[in-house]
Amino acid sequence: MNAGRARAITGVILATLTPATAFGQDVRGSVTSQAEGKPVPGAFVSLLDARGEPVASFLTDAEGTFRLRARSAGEYALRVRMIGFSTFTAPSFQLAAGEARVVPLTLSTEPISLAGITVSGERVCRFDAAEAAGAAALWDEAAKALEVLSWTDAADVLSFRIELTRRVTERGTGRFIQQDTDTVESVGARPFAVGDAETLFELGFVLPGADGGAVYYGPDAEMLLSERFLETHCFRTKRKDDEIGLEFEPKPDRGVTDLKGVLWLDQRTARLLRVEFSFAGGRAVTTGAGGDVEFRRLADGRWIIQRWRLRAPIVSGDPFSGRGSRLLGHEEAVGEVVEVSAATTRLRRPR
């Protein structure tokens, strides 16, 4: 994903490997900036195996420290990713059985500027093509936030206070037929549930419901990070005000109802802002269906989904065959995290 950036990006990590005595295959250390010698909090450090696959990850704390554990002895390397800066992988090393290794990392990076990406509007379906340089650069920055979001889901148990709103609108007029708002407490890694990514890619993002209707699914971090997402979609870049977007749409041969939309990033800071989506292809009724997901970076570097919205059509008859189906209106579900709690922090939504 890092190949073919719009301009040269420099980044150097100087690693000193120092053996230490401890139980298990542990790799720990700290990340400091080369320019100032200060700790770098919020850096996402991953332990890679000999194939380059991550086996453990950690978000550096306020002191820039991290600790990772390998399941077995072998060859490993450390990769550091930070939003707005180039990714670097330190030289590999051998980790013996029962060994603990201290790895101080000194990070020297030049900020990435997404403003320099040329928006051509051409659709590309492979990121390894030369013309995909801009799309690949945008995807790489979006993936950094999604990786931390996925890690937060898997590693942390957060407590959310969420405002949920459900609206039913009439076809044509858009008049509210029903609107309910409630506040709920949710304890877990994420404040909402999603479908299985492999099932959705295989069968589509609109599936039959238990009542004979249709269930509409939006995206989450795991789905967007999946290789299947890259394999089944084409991409183009676009710009709007101070934002730059990676537009995606299903390949023409998909044959199922899939997602299309835009991942929007701040072109100055390279932070992921939101994904807007709708549905395309397949036989399901998707008139007016879609939504958006907004992302937020917490003070400690973790990412959460701050707000989400999903809008689906209400139809009579079969929503897949089209026989006797008639659009009656739309149902919209909106959720917003108004407060999130962890062991040491309690944060309210931004004003």
Side-chain angles (χ1 to χ4, degrees), residues 28-47:
R28 56 187 175 86
S30 60
V31 179
T32 58
S33 65
Q34 187 179 46
E36 302 174 341
K38 295 181 179 180
V40 180
F44 195 55
V45 184
S46 296
L47 185 66

Side-chain angles (χ1 to χ4, degrees), residues 166-170 175-180 330 332:
R166 176 180 174 270
R167 304 185 184 100
V168 177
T169 57
E170 185 180 48
R175 180 176 63 88
F176 287 162
I177 300 175
Q178 181 181 351
Q179 177 166 318
D180 302 309
H330 289 88
E332 185 176 70

Side-chain angles (χ1 to χ4, degrees), residues 95-281:
L95 190 63
E99 179 186 3
R101 188 172 287 260
V102 177
V103 187
L105 299 175
T106 303
L107 180 63
S108 175
T109 57
E110 179 182 322
I112 291 173
S113 174
L114 299 182
I117 293 178
T118 300
V119 176
S120 64
E122 296 182 5
R123 189 178 75 165
V124 293
C125 299
R126 292 176 61 90
F127 276 171
D128 56 359
E131 63 268 22
L138 290 183
W139 169 248
D140 192 45
E141 289 307 303
K144 292 175 184 177
L146 294 171
E147 286 170 358
V148 179
L149 175 61
S150 180
W151 175 83
T152 302
D153 280 350
D156 291 351
V157 176
L158 301 176
S159 176
F160 300 93
R161 189 161 65 88
I162 305 166
E163 285 184 359
L164 295 175
T165 302
R166 176 180 174 270
R167 304 185 184 100
V168 177
T169 57
E170 185 180 48
R171 176 194 174 190
T173 66
R175 180 176 63 88
F176 287 162
I177 300 175
Q178 181 181 351
Q179 177 166 318
D180 302 309
T181 301
D182 195 11
T183 301
V184 299
E185 300 284 342
S186 173
V187 178
R190 69 176 73 192
F192 67 98
V194 294
D196 176 70
E198 285 303 313
T199 300
L200 296 176
F201 279 118
E202 187 68 26
L203 302 180
F205 284 77
V206 183
L207 299 176
D211 60 354
V215 181
Y216 295 75
Y217 292 90
D220 72 338
E222 285 78 12
M223 190 279 287
L224 294 172
L225 286 170
S226 169
E227 286 297 324
R228 292 289 302 276
F229 175 65
L230 300 180
E231 292 168 359
T232 56
H233 288 77
C234 296
F235 303 84
R236 61 167 58 91
T237 54
K238 63 189 303 181
R239 182 172 277 114
K240 180 176 68 175
D241 300 326
D242 294 329
E243 300 175 359
I244 188 165
L246 181 64
E247 187 175 30
F248 57 90
E249 61 183 3
K251 290 183 177 179
D253 59 353
R254 280 289 285 144
V256 299
T257 303
D258 208 329
L259 297 178
K260 65 177 182 179
V262 187
L263 284 158
W264 288 105
L265 295 89
D266 185 311
Q267 67 178 9
R268 181 180 59 85
T269 66
R271 285 193 179 188
L272 180 62
L273 301 173
R274 66 189 180 280
V275 56
E276 299 169 350
F277 64 92
S278 58
F279 300 86

